Coordinates of all heavy atoms in Angstrom, one line a residue:
M1 N 19.7 41.3 74.1 CA 19.3 40.1 73.3 C 20.1 40.0 72.0 O 20.5 41.0 71.5 CB 17.8 40.2 73.0 CG 17.2 39.0 72.2 SD 15.4 39.1 72.3 CE 15.1 37.4 71.8
L2 N 20.3 38.8 71.6 CA 21.1 38.5 70.4 C 20.4 38.9 69.1 O 19.1 38.9 69.1 CB 21.5 37.0 70.3 CG 22.4 36.5 71.4 CD1 22.5 35.0 71.3 CD2 23.7 37.2 71.5
S3 N 21.1 39.2 68.1 CA 20.4 39.6 66.8 C 19.7 38.4 66.2 O 20.0 37.2 66.6 CB 21.4 40.1 65.8 OG 22.2 39.0 65.3
N4 N 18.8 38.6 65.4 CA 18.0 37.5 64.7 C 18.9 36.6 63.9 O 18.6 35.4 63.7 CB 16.9 38.1 63.8 CG 15.8 38.7 64.6 OD1 15.6 38.3 65.7 ND2 15.0 39.6 64.0
D5 N 20.0 37.1 63.4 CA 20.9 36.3 62.7 C 21.6 35.2 63.5 O 21.9 34.1 63.1 CB 22.0 37.1 61.9 CG 21.4 38.0 60.9 OD1 20.3 37.6 60.3 OD2 21.9 39.0 60.6
V6 N 22.0 35.6 64.8 CA 22.7 34.7 65.7 C 21.7 33.7 66.3 O 22.0 32.5 66.4 CB 23.4 35.5 66.8 CG1 24.0 34.6 67.8 CG2 24.4 36.4 66.2
I7 N 20.5 34.1 66.7 CA 19.6 33.2 67.4 C 19.3 32.0 66.5 O 19.5 30.9 66.9 CB 18.3 34.0 67.8 CG1 18.6 35.0 68.8 CG2 17.3 33.0 68.3 CD1 17.5 36.0 69.2
P8 N 18.8 32.2 65.3 CA 18.4 31.0 64.5 C 19.6 30.2 64.2 O 19.5 28.9 64.1 CB 17.8 31.6 63.2 CG 17.4 33.0 63.6 CD 18.3 33.4 64.6
Q9 N 20.8 30.7 64.0 CA 22.0 30.0 63.6 C 22.4 29.0 64.7 O 22.6 27.8 64.5 CB 23.2 30.9 63.3 CG 24.4 30.1 62.8 CD 24.1 29.4 61.5 OE1 23.3 29.7 60.7 NE2 24.9 28.3 61.3
S10 N 22.4 29.4 66.0 CA 22.7 28.6 67.1 C 21.7 27.5 67.3 O 22.0 26.3 67.5 CB 23.0 29.3 68.4 OG 21.8 30.0 68.8
M11 N 20.4 27.9 67.2 CA 19.3 26.9 67.3 C 19.3 26.0 66.1 O 19.2 24.7 66.3 CB 18.0 27.6 67.4 CG 17.7 28.3 68.7 SD 16.0 29.0 68.6 CE 15.9 29.6 70.2
R12 N 19.5 26.5 64.9 CA 19.5 25.8 63.7 C 20.5 24.6 63.7 O 20.2 23.5 63.3 CB 19.7 26.7 62.5 CG 19.5 26.0 61.2 CD 19.7 27.0 60.0 NE 19.3 26.5 58.8 CZ 18.1 26.3 58.4 NH1 17.1 26.6 59.2 NH2 17.8 25.9 57.2
Q13 N 21.7 24.9 64.1 CA 22.7 23.9 64.1 C 22.4 22.7 65.0 O 22.5 21.6 64.7 CB 24.1 24.5 64.5 CG 24.7 25.4 63.5 CD 25.9 26.1 64.0 OE1 26.2 26.2 65.2 NE2 26.7 26.5 63.0
R14 N 21.9 23.0 66.2 CA 21.5 22.0 67.1 C 20.3 21.2 66.6 O 20.2 20.0 66.7 CB 21.2 22.6 68.5 CG 21.0 21.6 69.6 CD 21.1 22.2 70.9 NE 20.8 21.2 71.9 CZ 20.1 21.5 73.0 NH1 19.7 22.7 73.3 NH2 19.9 20.5 73.9
I15 N 19.3 21.9 66.1 CA 18.1 21.2 65.5 C 18.5 20.4 64.3 O 18.0 19.3 64.1 CB 17.0 22.3 65.1 CG1 16.5 22.9 66.4 CG2 16.0 21.7 64.3 CD1 15.6 24.1 66.3
E16 N 19.4 20.9 63.5 CA 19.9 20.1 62.3 C 20.5 18.7 62.8 O 20.2 17.7 62.2 CB 21.0 20.8 61.5 CG 20.4 21.9 60.7 CD 21.5 22.7 60.0 OE1 22.7 22.7 60.4 OE2 21.2 23.5 59.0
Q17 N 21.3 18.7 63.9 CA 21.8 17.5 64.4 C 20.8 16.6 64.9 O 20.8 15.4 64.7 CB 22.8 17.8 65.5 CG 24.1 18.5 65.1 CD 24.9 19.0 66.2 OE1 24.5 19.1 67.4 NE2 26.2 19.2 66.0
I18 N 19.8 17.1 65.6 CA 18.7 16.3 66.1 C 17.9 15.7 65.0 O 17.6 14.5 65.0 CB 17.8 17.1 67.1 CG1 18.5 17.6 68.3 CG2 16.5 16.3 67.4 CD1 18.9 16.6 69.3
V19 N 17.5 16.5 64.0 CA 16.7 16.0 62.9 C 17.4 14.9 62.1 O 16.9 13.9 61.7 CB 16.2 17.2 62.0 CG1 15.5 16.6 60.7 CG2 15.2 18.1 62.8
T20 N 18.7 15.2 61.9 CA 19.5 14.2 61.1 C 19.5 12.9 61.9 O 19.3 11.8 61.3 CB 21.0 14.7 61.0 OG1 20.9 15.9 60.2 CG2 21.9 13.7 60.3
G21 N 19.8 12.9 63.2 CA 19.8 11.7 64.0 C 18.4 11.0 64.0 O 18.4 9.8 63.9
L22 N 17.3 11.8 64.1 CA 16.0 11.1 64.1 C 15.7 10.5 62.7 O 15.1 9.4 62.7 CB 14.9 12.2 64.4 CG 14.8 12.6 65.9 CD1 14.0 13.8 66.0 CD2 14.3 11.4 66.7
M23 N 16.2 11.1 61.7 CA 15.9 10.5 60.3 C 16.8 9.3 60.1 O 16.3 8.4 59.4 CB 16.1 11.6 59.2 CG 15.0 12.6 59.2 SD 15.2 13.7 57.8 CE 13.6 14.4 57.7
E24 N 17.9 9.2 60.7 CA 18.7 8.0 60.6 C 18.2 6.9 61.5 O 18.1 5.8 61.1 CB 20.2 8.3 61.0 CG 20.9 9.1 60.0 CD 22.3 9.6 60.5 OE1 22.8 9.1 61.6 OE2 23.0 10.4 59.8
E25 N 17.7 7.3 62.7 CA 17.1 6.3 63.6 C 15.8 5.8 63.1 O 15.4 4.6 63.3 CB 17.0 7.0 65.0 CG 16.6 6.0 66.1 CD 16.7 6.7 67.5 OE1 17.2 7.8 67.6 OE2 16.1 6.1 68.4
Y26 N 15.0 6.7 62.5 CA 13.6 6.3 62.1 C 13.5 6.7 60.6 O 13.1 7.8 60.3 CB 12.6 7.1 62.9 CG 12.7 6.8 64.4 CD1 13.2 7.8 65.2 CD2 12.3 5.6 64.9 CE1 13.3 7.6 66.6 CE2 12.4 5.4 66.3 CZ 12.9 6.4 67.1 OH 13.0 6.2 68.5
P27 N 13.8 5.7 59.7 CA 13.8 6.0 58.3 C 12.5 6.5 57.7 O 12.5 7.2 56.7 CB 14.2 4.7 57.6 CG 14.9 3.9 58.7 CD 14.3 4.4 60.0
F28 N 11.4 6.2 58.4 CA 10.1 6.6 57.9 C 10.0 8.2 57.9 O 9.3 8.7 57.1 CB 8.9 6.0 58.6 CG 8.9 6.2 60.1 CD1 8.4 7.3 60.7 CD2 9.5 5.1 60.9 CE1 8.5 7.4 62.1 CE2 9.5 5.3 62.3 CZ 9.0 6.4 62.9
F29 N 10.7 8.8 58.8 CA 10.8 10.3 58.8 C 11.4 10.8 57.5 O 10.9 11.7 56.9 CB 11.6 10.8 60.0 CG 10.8 10.8 61.3 CD1 11.5 10.6 62.5 CD2 9.5 11.1 61.4 CE1 10.8 10.7 63.7 CE2 8.8 11.1 62.6 CZ 9.5 10.9 63.8
K30 N 12.5 10.1 57.1 CA 13.2 10.5 55.9 C 12.3 10.4 54.7 O 12.4 11.1 53.7 CB 14.5 9.7 55.7 CG 15.5 10.2 54.8 CD 16.7 9.3 54.6 CE 17.5 9.3 55.9 NZ 18.8 8.6 55.8
E31 N 11.5 9.3 54.7 CA 10.6 9.1 53.5 C 9.5 10.1 53.4 O 9.0 10.4 52.3 CB 10.0 7.7 53.6 CG 11.0 6.6 53.6 CD 10.3 5.2 53.9 OE1 9.1 5.1 54.0 OE2 11.1 4.3 54.1
D32 N 9.0 10.6 54.5 CA 7.7 11.4 54.5 C 7.9 12.9 54.9 O 7.0 13.7 54.8 CB 6.7 10.8 55.5 CG 6.2 9.4 55.0 OD1 6.1 9.2 53.8 OD2 5.9 8.6 55.9
I33 N 9.1 13.2 55.3 CA 9.3 14.6 55.8 C 10.5 15.2 55.0 O 11.6 14.6 54.9 CB 9.6 14.7 57.3 CG1 8.3 14.3 58.0 CG2 10.1 16.1 57.7 CD1 8.5 14.2 59.5
D34 N 10.4 16.4 54.5 CA 11.4 17.2 53.9 C 12.4 17.7 55.0 O 11.9 18.5 55.8 CB 10.9 18.3 53.1 CG 11.9 19.1 52.4 OD1 12.3 18.8 51.2 OD2 12.4 20.1 53.0
Y35 N 13.6 17.3 54.9 CA 14.6 17.7 56.0 C 14.7 19.2 56.1 O 14.6 19.7 57.2 CB 16.0 17.1 55.6 CG 17.1 17.6 56.5 CD1 17.3 17.0 57.7 CD2 17.9 18.6 56.1 CE1 18.4 17.4 58.5 CE2 18.9 19.1 56.9 CZ 19.2 18.5 58.1 OH 20.2 19.0 58.9
S36 N 14.9 19.9 55.0 CA 15.2 21.3 55.1 C 14.0 22.1 55.7 O 14.1 23.0 56.5 CB 15.5 21.9 53.7 OG 16.7 21.3 53.3
E37 N 12.8 21.7 55.2 CA 11.5 22.3 55.7 C 11.3 22.1 57.2 O 10.9 22.9 57.9 CB 10.3 21.9 54.8 CG 10.3 22.4 53.4 CD 10.3 23.9 53.4 OE1 9.5 24.5 54.1 OE2 11.1 24.5 52.6
M38 N 11.6 20.8 57.6 CA 11.4 20.5 59.0 C 12.4 21.3 59.9 O 12.0 21.8 60.9 CB 11.6 19.0 59.2 CG 11.3 18.6 60.7 SD 9.7 19.2 61.4 CE 8.5 18.4 60.3
V39 N 13.6 21.4 59.5 CA 14.6 22.2 60.2 C 14.2 23.6 60.3 O 14.2 24.2 61.4 CB 16.0 22.1 59.6 CG1 17.0 23.1 60.2 CG2 16.6 20.6 59.8
K40 N 13.7 24.2 59.2 CA 13.3 25.5 59.2 C 12.0 25.7 60.1 O 12.0 26.7 60.9 CB 12.9 26.0 57.8 CG 12.5 27.4 57.6 CD 12.0 27.8 56.3 CE 12.5 27.2 55.1 NZ 11.9 27.7 53.8
Y41 N 11.1 24.8 60.0 CA 9.9 24.8 60.9 C 10.2 24.7 62.4 O 9.8 25.5 63.2 CB 8.9 23.7 60.5 CG 7.7 23.7 61.3 CD1 6.8 24.7 61.3 CD2 7.5 22.6 62.2 CE1 5.6 24.6 62.1 CE2 6.4 22.6 63.0 CZ 5.4 23.6 63.0 OH 4.3 23.5 63.8
L42 N 11.1 23.8 62.7 CA 11.4 23.6 64.1 C 12.2 24.8 64.7 O 12.0 25.2 65.8 CB 12.3 22.3 64.3 CG 11.5 21.0 64.2 CD1 12.4 19.8 64.1 CD2 10.4 20.8 65.2
T43 N 13.1 25.3 63.8 CA 13.8 26.5 64.2 C 12.9 27.7 64.5 O 13.0 28.4 65.5 CB 14.9 26.9 63.2 OG1 15.8 25.8 63.0 CG2 15.7 28.1 63.6
L44 N 11.9 27.8 63.7 CA 10.9 28.9 63.8 C 10.1 28.7 65.1 O 9.9 29.6 65.9 CB 10.0 28.9 62.6 CG 8.8 29.9 62.6 CD1 9.4 31.4 62.6 CD2 7.9 29.7 61.5
V45 N 9.6 27.4 65.3 CA 8.8 27.1 66.5 C 9.6 27.4 67.8 O 9.1 28.1 68.7 CB 8.3 25.6 66.5 CG1 7.7 25.2 67.8 CG2 7.3 25.4 65.4
F46 N 10.8 26.8 67.9 CA 11.6 27.1 69.1 C 12.0 28.5 69.2 O 12.0 29.1 70.3 CB 12.8 26.1 69.1 CG 12.4 24.7 69.4 CD1 12.5 23.7 68.5 CD2 12.0 24.3 70.7 CE1 12.2 22.4 68.7 CE2 11.7 23.0 71.0 CZ 11.7 22.0 70.0
G47 N 12.3 29.1 68.1 CA 12.8 30.5 68.2 C 11.7 31.5 68.6 O 12.0 32.5 69.3
Q48 N 10.4 31.2 68.3 CA 9.3 32.1 68.6 C 8.9 31.8 70.1 O 8.2 32.6 70.7 CB 8.1 31.9 67.7 CG 8.4 32.4 66.3 CD 7.2 32.2 65.4 OE1 6.3 31.4 65.7 NE2 7.2 32.9 64.3
N49 N 9.2 30.6 70.6 CA 8.6 30.3 71.9 C 9.6 30.2 73.1 O 9.2 30.2 74.2 CB 7.9 28.9 71.8 CG 6.7 29.0 70.9 OD1 5.7 29.6 71.3 ND2 6.7 28.4 69.8
L50 N 10.9 30.3 72.7 CA 11.9 30.2 73.8 C 13.0 31.2 73.6 O 13.5 31.3 72.4 CB 12.6 28.8 73.8 CG 11.7 27.6 74.3 CD1 12.5 26.3 74.1 CD2 11.3 27.8 75.7
P51 N 13.5 31.8 74.6 CA 14.7 32.6 74.5 C 15.9 31.7 74.2 O 15.8 30.5 74.6 CB 14.9 33.3 75.8 CG 13.5 33.2 76.5 CD 12.9 32.0 75.9
V52 N 16.9 32.1 73.6 CA 18.1 31.3 73.2 C 18.7 30.6 74.4 O 19.0 29.4 74.4 CB 19.1 32.1 72.5 CG1 20.3 31.2 72.2 CG2 18.6 32.7 71.2
A53 N 18.8 31.4 75.5 CA 19.4 30.8 76.7 C 18.6 29.6 77.2 O 19.2 28.6 77.7 CB 19.6 31.9 77.8
E54 N 17.3 29.8 77.2 CA 16.4 28.7 77.7 C 16.5 27.5 76.7 O 16.6 26.3 77.2 CB 15.0 29.2 77.8 CG 14.1 28.2 78.5 CD 12.7 28.8 78.8 OE1 12.6 30.0 78.9 OE2 11.8 28.0 78.8
F55 N 16.5 27.7 75.4 CA 16.6 26.7 74.4 C 18.0 25.9 74.7 O 18.0 24.7 74.6 CB 16.6 27.2 73.0 CG 16.9 26.2 72.0 CD1 15.9 25.4 71.5 CD2 18.2 26.1 71.4 CE1 16.1 24.4 70.5 CE2 18.4 25.2 70.4 CZ 17.4 24.3 70.0
N56 N 19.0 26.6 74.9 CA 20.3 26.0 75.1 C 20.4 25.1 76.4 O 21.2 24.2 76.4 CB 21.4 27.0 75.1 CG 21.7 27.7 73.8 OD1 21.4 27.1 72.7 ND2 22.2 28.9 73.8
R57 N 19.5 25.4 77.3 CA 19.5 24.6 78.5 C 18.7 23.3 78.4 O 18.7 22.4 79.3 CB 19.0 25.4 79.7 CG 19.9 26.4 80.2 CD 19.5 27.0 81.6 NE 18.2 27.7 81.5 CZ 18.0 29.0 81.3 NH1 19.0 29.8 81.0 NH2 16.8 29.5 81.2
I58 N 17.9 23.1 77.3 CA 17.2 21.9 77.1 C 18.1 20.8 76.9 O 19.0 20.8 76.0 CB 16.2 22.0 75.9 CG1 15.2 23.2 76.1 CG2 15.5 20.7 75.7 CD1 14.4 23.4 74.9
P59 N 18.1 19.7 77.7 CA 18.9 18.5 77.5 C 18.7 17.9 76.1 O 17.6 18.0 75.6 CB 18.6 17.6 78.6 CG 17.8 18.4 79.6 CD 17.2 19.5 78.9
D60 N 19.7 17.4 75.5 CA 19.6 16.8 74.2 C 18.5 15.8 74.1 O 17.7 15.7 73.1 CB 20.9 16.1 73.7 CG 22.0 17.2 73.3 OD1 21.6 18.4 73.1 OD2 23.2 16.8 73.2
G61 N 18.4 14.9 75.1 CA 17.3 13.9 75.1 C 15.9 14.5 75.0 O 15.1 14.0 74.3
Q62 N 15.7 15.5 75.8 CA 14.4 16.2 75.8 C 14.1 16.9 74.5 O 13.0 16.8 74.0 CB 14.4 17.2 77.0 CG 13.0 17.9 77.1 CD 13.0 18.9 78.3 OE1 13.9 18.9 79.1 NE2 11.9 19.7 78.4
L63 N 15.2 17.5 73.9 CA 15.0 18.2 72.7 C 14.7 17.2 71.6 O 13.8 17.4 70.7 CB 16.2 19.0 72.3 CG 16.1 19.8 71.0 CD1 15.0 20.8 71.0 CD2 17.5 20.5 70.7
K64 N 15.4 16.1 71.6 CA 15.1 15.0 70.6 C 13.7 14.5 70.7 O 13.0 14.3 69.7 CB 16.1 13.9 70.9 CG 15.9 12.7 69.9 CD 16.9 11.6 70.2 CE 16.6 10.4 69.4 NZ 17.5 9.2 69.7
E65 N 13.2 14.3 72.0 CA 11.8 13.9 72.2 C 10.8 14.9 71.6 O 9.9 14.5 71.0 CB 11.6 13.6 73.6 CG 10.2 13.1 74.0 CD 10.1 12.7 75.4 OE1 11.1 12.3 76.1 OE2 9.0 13.0 75.9
Q66 N 11.1 16.2 71.9 CA 10.1 17.2 71.5 C 10.1 17.3 69.9 O 9.1 17.4 69.3 CB 10.5 18.6 72.1 CG 10.2 18.6 73.5 CD 10.7 19.9 74.2 OE1 11.4 20.8 73.6 NE2 10.3 20.2 75.4
C67 N 11.3 17.2 69.3 CA 11.4 17.3 67.9 C 10.7 16.0 67.2 O 10.0 16.2 66.2 CB 12.8 17.4 67.4 SG 13.6 19.0 67.7
S68 N 10.9 14.9 67.9 CA 10.3 13.7 67.4 C 8.8 13.7 67.4 O 8.1 13.3 66.5 CB 10.8 12.5 68.2 OG 10.2 11.3 67.8
L69 N 8.3 14.3 68.5 CA 6.8 14.4 68.6 C 6.3 15.4 67.5 O 5.2 15.1 66.9 CB 6.4 14.9 70.0 CG 6.6 13.9 71.1 CD1 6.4 14.6 72.5 CD2 5.6 12.8 70.9
I70 N 7.0 16.5 67.3 CA 6.5 17.4 66.3 C 6.6 16.8 64.9 O 5.7 16.9 64.1 CB 7.4 18.7 66.3 CG1 7.1 19.5 67.6 CG2 7.1 19.6 65.1 CD1 8.0 20.6 67.9
M71 N 7.7 16.0 64.6 CA 7.8 15.4 63.3 C 6.7 14.3 63.1 O 6.2 14.2 62.0 CB 9.2 14.8 63.2 CG 10.3 15.9 63.1 SD 12.0 15.3 63.3 CE 12.2 14.3 61.8
A72 N 6.4 13.6 64.2 CA 5.4 12.5 64.1 C 4.0 13.2 63.9 O 3.2 12.7 63.1 CB 5.4 11.7 65.4
T73 N 3.8 14.3 64.5 CA 2.5 15.0 64.3 C 2.4 15.5 62.9 O 1.4 15.4 62.2 CB 2.4 16.2 65.3 OG1 2.5 15.7 66.6 CG2 1.1 17.0 65.1
E74 N 3.5 16.0 62.3 CA 3.5 16.4 60.9 C 3.2 15.3 60.0 O 2.4 15.4 59.1 CB 4.9 17.0 60.6 CG 5.1 17.4 59.2 CD 4.2 18.6 58.8 OE1 3.8 19.3 59.7 OE2 3.9 18.8 57.6
M75 N 3.8 14.1 60.3 CA 3.4 12.9 59.4 C 2.0 12.6 59.5 O 1.3 12.3 58.5 CB 4.3 11.7 59.9 CG 5.7 11.8 59.4 SD 6.7 10.4 59.9 CE 5.7 9.0 59.1
L76 N 1.4 12.6 60.8 CA 0.0 12.3 61.0 C -0.9 13.3 60.3 O -2.0 12.9 59.8 CB -0.3 12.2 62.4 CG 0.1 11.0 63.2 CD1 -0.1 11.1 64.7 CD2 -0.6 9.7 62.6
S77 N -0.5 14.5 60.2 CA -1.3 15.5 59.6 C -1.5 15.3 58.1 O -2.4 15.7 57.5 CB -0.8 16.9 59.8 OG 0.4 17.1 59.1
K78 N -0.5 14.6 57.5 CA -0.6 14.3 56.1 C -1.5 13.1 55.7 O -1.8 12.9 54.6 CB 0.8 14.0 55.5 CG 1.7 15.2 55.6 CD 3.1 14.8 55.1 CE 4.0 16.1 55.2 NZ 5.4 15.8 54.7
I79 N -1.8 12.3 56.7 CA -2.7 11.1 56.5 C -4.0 11.5 55.8 O -4.4 10.9 54.9 CB -3.0 10.4 57.8 CG1 -1.7 9.6 58.3 CG2 -4.1 9.4 57.7 CD1 -1.8 8.9 59.6
G80 N -4.6 12.6 56.3 CA -5.9 13.0 55.7 C -5.8 13.4 54.2 O -6.8 13.2 53.5
D81 N -4.6 13.8 53.8 CA -4.5 14.2 52.4 C -4.5 13.0 51.5 O -4.8 13.1 50.3 CB -3.1 14.9 52.2 CG -3.1 16.2 52.9 OD1 -4.1 16.8 53.3 OD2 -2.0 16.7 53.2
E82 N -4.2 11.8 52.0 CA -4.0 10.6 51.2 C -5.2 9.7 51.3 O -5.3 8.7 50.5 CB -2.7 9.9 51.6 CG -1.5 10.7 51.4 CD -0.2 10.1 51.9 OE1 -0.3 9.0 52.5 OE2 0.8 10.7 51.9
L83 N -6.1 9.9 52.2 CA -7.2 9.0 52.4 C -8.5 9.4 51.7 O -8.8 10.6 51.6 CB -7.6 8.9 53.9 CG -6.5 8.3 54.8 CD1 -7.0 8.3 56.3 CD2 -6.1 6.9 54.4
S84 N -9.2 8.4 51.2 CA -10.5 8.7 50.6 C -11.5 9.1 51.7 O -11.2 8.9 52.9 CB -11.1 7.5 49.9 OG -11.4 6.5 50.8
P85 N -12.6 9.7 51.4 CA -13.6 10.0 52.5 C -14.0 8.8 53.3 O -14.1 8.9 54.5 CB -14.8 10.6 51.7 CG -14.2 11.2 50.5 CD -13.1 10.3 50.1
A86 N -14.2 7.7 52.7 CA -14.5 6.4 53.4 C -13.4 6.0 54.3 O -13.7 5.6 55.5 CB -14.9 5.3 52.4
Q87 N -12.2 6.1 53.8 CA -11.0 5.7 54.7 C -10.9 6.7 55.8 O -10.5 6.3 56.9 CB -9.8 5.7 53.8 CG -9.7 4.5 52.8 CD -8.5 4.7 51.9 OE1 -8.2 5.8 51.4 NE2 -7.9 3.6 51.6
M88 N -11.1 8.0 55.6 CA -11.0 9.0 56.6 C -12.1 8.7 57.7 O -11.8 8.9 58.9 CB -11.2 10.4 56.0 CG -10.8 11.5 57.0 SD -9.1 11.3 57.5 CE -8.8 12.8 58.3
A89 N -13.3 8.3 57.3 CA -14.3 8.0 58.3 C -13.9 6.8 59.2 O -14.1 6.9 60.4 CB -15.6 7.7 57.6
I90 N -13.3 5.8 58.6 CA -12.8 4.7 59.3 C -11.7 5.1 60.3 O -11.7 4.7 61.5 CB -12.3 3.6 58.4 CG1 -13.5 3.0 57.6 CG2 -11.6 2.5 59.2 CD1 -13.1 2.1 56.4
F91 N -10.8 5.9 59.8 CA -9.7 6.4 60.6 C -10.3 7.2 61.8 O -9.9 7.1 63.0 CB -8.8 7.3 59.8 CG -7.6 7.9 60.6 CD1 -6.5 7.2 61.0 CD2 -7.7 9.3 61.0 CE1 -5.5 7.8 61.7 CE2 -6.7 9.9 61.7 CZ -5.6 9.1 62.1
D92 N -11.2 8.2 61.5 CA -11.8 9.0 62.6 C -12.5 8.1 63.7 O -12.3 8.3 64.9 CB -12.8 10.0 62.0 CG -12.2 11.1 61.3 OD1 -11.0 11.4 61.5 OD2 -12.9 11.8 60.5
E93 N -13.2 7.1 63.2 CA -13.8 6.2 64.1 C -12.8 5.4 65.0 O -13.0 5.3 66.2 CB -14.7 5.2 63.4 CG -15.5 4.3 64.3 CD -16.5 3.4 63.5 OE1 -16.9 3.8 62.4 OE2 -16.7 2.2 64.0
A94 N -11.7 5.0 64.4 CA -10.7 4.3 65.2 C -10.0 5.2 66.2 O -9.8 4.8 67.3 CB -9.7 3.7 64.2
V95 N -9.8 6.5 65.8 CA -9.2 7.4 66.7 C -10.1 7.7 67.9 O -9.6 7.8 69.0 CB -8.7 8.7 66.0 CG1 -8.3 9.8 66.9 CG2 -7.6 8.4 65.0
Q96 N -11.4 7.8 67.6 CA -12.3 8.2 68.7 C -12.7 7.0 69.5 O -13.4 7.1 70.5 CB -13.6 8.7 68.0 CG -13.4 10.1 67.4 CD -14.6 10.6 66.6 OE1 -15.6 10.0 66.7 NE2 -14.4 11.7 65.9
G97 N -12.2 5.8 69.1 CA -12.4 4.6 69.9 C -13.8 4.0 69.7 O -14.3 3.2 70.5
G98 N -14.4 4.3 68.6 CA -15.7 3.9 68.3 C -15.7 2.6 67.6 O -16.1 1.6 67.5

């Protein structure tokens, strides 16, 4: 197995390219997500869950989709921090379909 220094670097470079592209394509990501923190987080997530060889076999389109979903989830998780309790109740009701 590769050393810890090599694994994150190869993943990190690819993830950096994907995150940069997503932030250019979807400016709201740039407004609400810290680029460096997201790259670090995605590198950690993929590094802990996939061997490097398997990560390298993920097609760019699929990796972009997975990163986009994680970034969107991160944005959604911040919604609760900005809403009042009344607004959060309305949001919860809308999500539950009530």
Side-chain angles (χ1 to χ4, degrees):
M1 182 163 195
L2 298 173
S3 75
N4 287 336
D5 294 333
V6 175
I7 293 170
Q9 185 62 26
S10 65
M11 286 183 176
R12 183 178 194 73
Q13 288 174 340
R14 191 164 175 217
I15 289 169
E16 285 174 344
Q17 291 175 340
I18 297 288
V19 171
T20 297
L22 285 168
M23 287 187 163
E24 288 173 7
E25 188 173 346
Y26 304 106
F28 55 85
F29 280 147
K30 197 181 292 186
E31 294 171 12
D32 294 327
I33 293 176
D34 179 89
Y35 171 83
S36 298
E37 289 299 315
M38 183 53 60
V39 168
K40 187 188 322 181
Y41 176 69
L42 290 170
T43 302
L44 179 68
V45 167
F46 286 109
Q48 289 179 344
N49 292 293
L50 292 173
V52 177
E54 190 174 333
F55 174 82
N56 289 337
R57 285 193 302 267
I58 299 173
D60 285 343
Q62 183 179 349
L63 182 60
K64 179 181 175 182
E65 184 177 324
Q66 290 176 350
C67 289
S68 179
L69 288 171
I70 292 169
M71 291 168 69
T73 302
E74 178 65 22
M75 283 181 58
L76 284 174
S77 72
K78 294 178 182 182
I79 287 176
D81 297 339
E82 299 171 4
L83 298 179
S84 70
Q87 291 170 321
M88 192 60 168
I90 293 168
F91 176 79
D92 285 342
E93 186 176 325
V95 169
Q96 294 173 7

